[in-house]
Amino acid sequence: MDRTDLKILAILQEDCSLPVAEVASRVNLSQTPCWRRIQRLEAQGVIQRRVAILDPESVGFDLSVFIEIEAADHSPEWLDRFARTVAAMPEVMEVYRMAGDVDYLLRVAVGSMGEYDDFYRRLIAEVPLKNVTSRFAMERVKSTTAYPIQRQLQA
């Protein structure tokens, strides 16, 4: 990946709805080479997908919950069951396997404490867990999906 690819990625992750002509203009390319680069980046999996990012409160997901999970088991069978379970739960926005005293960290979006309680009950009914600690966000101070590519371009 060269600097032009990085510039294209920086532009697209801020606004992927821009016409190719606009992206091409910003990176000093003609449309066809720019479009080919975008297609190549998609084919390589660098650009995974293009989506609309919604305001969670506007669509009824006012409560963000960060859930720390300690596993009761560390077998491949348990991990497979856990991964399938959380993948099937639409409230789960992100799942990370962690280093340290917490095994997994989940970010969950729900509309209310009652919805969270329903989620929690479904989760613990599906997978044996040693410990579950939930932390409720009071305010979203910063939220972005854009990686700091500009920093790489300045280096």
Side-chain angles (χ1 to χ4, degrees):
M1 211 173 344
D2 64 14
R3 290 182 63 77
T4 302
D5 288 338
L6 290 173
K7 288 177 184 176
I8 290 169
L9 292 171
I11 292 166
L12 291 178
Q13 72 176 349
E14 290 296 330
D15 184 357
C16 72
S17 69
L18 289 174
V20 173
E22 176 65 23
V23 176
S25 171
R26 290 187 189 186
V27 298
N28 297 317
L29 286 176
S30 62
Q31 281 185 256
T32 301
C34 184
W35 178 240
R36 284 189 188 126
R37 283 176 179 258
I38 293 169
Q39 287 179 316
R40 179 178 44 79
L41 291 165
E42 287 177 333
Q44 292 173 339
V46 176
I47 298 173
Q48 294 181 350
R49 63 186 183 275
R50 301 181 199 197
V51 299
I53 299 172
L54 309 179
D55 173 59
E57 290 83 15
S58 295
V59 292
F61 292 92
D62 296 355
L63 190 58
S64 292
V65 187
F66 297 88
I67 304 168
E68 298 172 348
I69 292 178
E70 291 179 53
D73 182 0
H74 294 277
S75 68
E77 297 79 19
W78 182 91
L79 176 56
D80 183 58
R81 182 176 175 184
F82 175 74
R84 279 186 284 109
T85 297
V86 295
M89 301 176 97
E91 302 92 342
V92 177
M93 305 298 288
E94 296 178 271
V95 179
Y96 296 95
R97 188 166 61 91
M98 307 295 290
D101 58 348
V102 172
D103 296 310
Y104 296 91
L105 179 66
L106 282 62
R107 183 173 69 87
V108 172
V110 291
S112 67
M113 189 61 75
E115 287 181 22
Y116 172 71
D117 188 47
D118 290 342
F119 166 83
Y120 172 80
R121 290 173 187 268
R122 284 185 286 123
L123 177 65
I124 64 171
E126 288 294 322
V127 185
L129 303 171
K130 179 180 175 186
N131 190 35
V132 178
T133 302
S134 301
R135 303 185 189 281
F136 300 90
M138 295 178 2
E139 177 184 12
R140 182 172 34 146
V141 177
K142 178 182 179 181
S143 177
T144 185
T145 60
Y147 291 100
I149 291 174
Q150 293 298 339
R151 192 174 69 208
Q152 288 179 295
L153 291 170
Q154 294 168 354

